[in-house]
Amino acid sequence: MAADRVPRMRHYWRLVAEAGDTPVTLGTSHLWLTDSLERSIAQPTPLPKN
């Protein structure tokens, strides 16, 4: 299982984001990116017709 899919790691980064002074941590931005990529693969956008 990929590290970004491990529930404990996801929970950890959510807590870090809530408790930290920094608006976005590297871990949080990584999760946003991988979640977005996963959604884009699961529901691809149709190509425009020419």
Side-chain angles (χ1 to χ4, degrees):
M1 179 180 277
D4 60 326
R5 297 284 102 190
V6 176
R8 281 196 221 175
M9 288 301 295
R10 295 177 67 81
H11 181 67
Y12 169 80
W13 284 114
R14 285 188 190 109
L15 292 175
V16 168
E18 289 176 19
D21 295 332
T22 310
V24 178
T25 65
L26 178 59
T28 300
S29 62
H30 174 74
L31 291 176
W32 288 343
L33 175 61
T34 55
D35 287 347
S36 297
L37 290 171
E38 184 177 356
R39 280 192 299 274
S40 71
I41 292 170
Q43 299 172 355
T45 305
L47 294 173
K49 294 181 182 179
N50 292 335

